[in-house]
Amino acid sequence: MKEALIQKEVLILDGLCAGFPARRGEVRVLDHVSLSVPKGKITGLVGESGCGKSMTARAVMNLIRHPGRVTGGRILLEGRDLLSMRKKERRMLQGREMAMIFQDPMSSLNPVMKVGKQVDEAVLVHEHVTHAEAKRRTLEMLEAAGVPDPERRYHSYPHQLSGGLRQRIMIAMAMVCRPKLLIADEPTTALDVTVEAQILDLMKEMSAKGTAVLLISHNLGAIARVCDDVSVMYAGKIVEQADICTLFDRPRHPYTRGLLSAVSSLRDGSEVLSVIPGHVPNLARLPAGCSFSPRCSCRGKECMEKTPEMREISPGHRIRCLWEEPGKKPGEKELETEGLAAE
Ligand SMILES: Nc1ncnc2c1ncn2[C@@H]1O[C@H](COP(=O)(O)OP(=O)(O)OP(=O)(O)O)[C@@H](O)[C@H]1O
Ligand SMILES: [Mg+2]
């Protein structure tokens, strides 16, 4: 049974902690983050700026910048613990089985090398194939990533391409070795809405072919469009986890509710930039009790004293909140969020 679970879950983060050294001890930027990314599904990770989304991705890819480091927990790729394996073994596994795309493709593409050659390199580094075979694979992948006229684009330099095309090249590069896991960190932030929709559709196709995708975004619209499951993060902790319909129809954590009502205000056309009062706390000086309590309209005295643990309120739906009826004061009506997931 456990075997079967591990097979289905390509990536499991189990109590992952990470931090940076500070004058007094350490600033913890990931605090017992647990989530899983199953094969053939898109798992969303959402939260305001600075909550730890990119740190989570970087921890998995072993890309946390010095002096930051993972300080605890486990990262399992198909059941293999990445943190306890030898560096060389982890590097090999990472190149072959995991890939990541970043928000700004320009920072990851080599400006003085033809984009086709860069995708070729990705194949040549990990597989023993001829240059001709690598090029064939590249052209096939550029086509699959929706790059028009791949033969011509193969010879372009990054600056000759639009932002959307550069992101497609990055996706082609990430996918050309058919990784089991794709981590996409804000892959559509720099793009206009039409291109964003195309890139998201492409992710959906990739996941339908079996890739496990972790999609990081602060854009709930993008998350609603393609994700199967979502984890909501606040100040380095996961605060709510559910499948997409449950999260959008029945959000329970006051933070998730705040994020969702911000989206519905924007959809109404009312110029509301943030309907959650206050801002993300400084991780070096977190408030006592629940980290969200200073901004939470539902907080009680206990919330400022006791740190809530994650608990399951229905199968697959977990929240980190002390309220018995989280996000709902006695007598308060349910927030109107239904229908968002469908759009
Ligand atoms: N080098 C560093 N030293 C200390 N703290 C850092 C360092 N790099 C990142 N952090 C802290 O780690 C926290 C998480 O950052 P992270 O980049 O993961 O946020 P994010 O959720 O990806 O935000 P965004 O939506 O803006 O990309 C932030 O509070 C940030 O201040
Ligand atoms: Mg980020």
Side-chain angles (χ1 to χ4, degrees):
M1 178 66 200
K2 202 168 175 196
E3 276 294 295
L5 187 76
I6 288 174
Q7 290 297 312
K8 190 174 139 268
E9 310 291 354
V10 174
L11 177 73
I12 295 179
L13 305 186
D14 177 20
L16 186 65
C17 296
F20 288 91
R23 225 182 286 163
R24 268 186 243 132
E26 173 201 81
V27 178
R28 185 173 276 186
V29 293
L30 297 183
D31 191 353
H32 294 90
V33 171
S34 295
L35 59 83
S36 60
V37 187
K39 182 175 186 315
K41 298 244 165 119
I42 304 187
T43 302
L45 183 59
V46 69
E48 286 167 295
S49 188
C51 68
K53 305 181 297 293
S54 296
M55 276 294 281
T56 306
R58 289 183 167 277
V60 176
M61 299 302 291
N62 203 12
L63 290 174
I64 294 183
R65 291 195 191 95
H66 181 79
R69 64 186 186 98
V70 168
T71 52
R74 294 189 305 162
I75 304 174
L76 304 177
L77 185 72
E78 290 192 319
R80 292 160 295 182
D81 188 349
L82 297 185
L83 298 176
S84 65
M85 65 178 54
R86 281 198 228 103
K87 268 190 195 157
K88 195 174 159 200
E89 195 185 349
R90 183 171 180 185
R91 253 203 316 274
M92 289 268 292
L93 202 69
Q94 238 158 251
R96 263 202 332 262
E97 301 191 10
M98 303 155 73
M100 178 157 167
I101 51 179
F102 298 87
Q103 175 177 338
D104 174 18
M106 239 2 208
S107 63
S108 329
L109 288 169
N110 181 341
V112 295
M113 189 174 178
K114 289 177 178 174
V115 291
K117 289 276 175 211
Q118 298 189 49
V119 183
D120 285 358
E121 289 267 298
V123 184
L124 291 166
V125 165
H126 301 294
E127 291 178 41
H128 296 291
V129 294
T130 61
H131 280 80
E133 170 62 11
K135 183 171 180 187
R136 193 194 62 74
R137 290 264 299 273
T138 294
L139 291 174
E140 195 180 272
M141 201 59 227
L142 291 181
E143 174 104 50
V147 174
D149 198 354
E151 270 289 354
R152 187 162 69 90
R153 300 298 186 196
Y154 180 95
H155 297 286
S156 303
Y157 289 94
H159 73 270
Q160 296 173 315
L161 303 176
S162 65
L165 272 179
R166 287 199 288 258
Q167 196 56 289
R168 282 168 202 266
I169 300 288
M170 280 303 299
I171 293 175
M173 203 188 292
M175 297 302 298
V176 75
C177 290
R178 306 183 191 102
K180 291 179 177 155
L181 174 72
L182 173 68
I183 300 182
D185 190 359
E186 308 272 6
T188 60
T189 307
L191 308 176
D192 69 49
V193 285
T194 322
V195 185
E196 171 178 62
Q198 291 165 355
I199 298 285
L200 292 174
D201 286 347
L202 187 57
M203 306 242 142
K204 199 84 192 153
E205 273 172 44
M206 299 296 178
S207 80
K209 285 183 189 156
T211 311
V213 180
L214 178 64
L215 175 63
I216 295 175
S217 183
H218 59 260
N219 177 350
L220 275 165
I223 295 278
R225 198 186 153 98
V226 293
C227 289
D228 297 284
D229 301 293
V230 189
S231 291
V232 181
M233 217 173 176
Y234 186 76
K237 291 190 178 86
I238 303 285
V239 296
E240 185 157 10
Q241 259 168 347
D243 66 81
I244 188 81
C245 295
T246 305
L247 192 100
F248 278 79
D249 290 346
R250 292 189 300 283
R252 295 290 294 273
H253 197 287
Y255 179 60
T256 313
R257 288 176 165 241
L259 287 179
L260 285 169
S261 51
V263 176
S264 30
S265 313
L266 286 169
R267 280 152 44 98
D268 290 348
S270 40
E271 294 272 311
V272 183
L273 286 178
S274 168
V275 293
I276 310 178
H279 41 76
V280 181
N282 180 339
L283 294 174
R285 282 192 297 276
L286 283 178
C290 170
S291 308
F292 186 61
S293 62
R295 301 172 75 187
C296 184
S297 57
C298 307
R299 73 170 176 263
K301 189 167 167 286
E302 234 186 314
C303 304
M304 292 175 281
E305 293 161 359
K306 255 168 86 177
T307 307
E309 294 296 327
M310 203 70 168
R311 65 192 170 96
E312 191 155 45
I313 51 170
S314 60
H317 190 181
R318 287 177 284 276
I319 54 162
R320 191 185 287 278
C321 181
L322 290 176
W323 278 66
E324 260 325 294
E325 281 268 13
K328 193 174 162 197
K329 281 180 172 172
E332 188 188 56
K333 281 180 73 179
E334 288 280 338
L335 270 177
E336 294 287 333
T337 49
E338 280 181 24
L340 266 172
E343 292 179 24

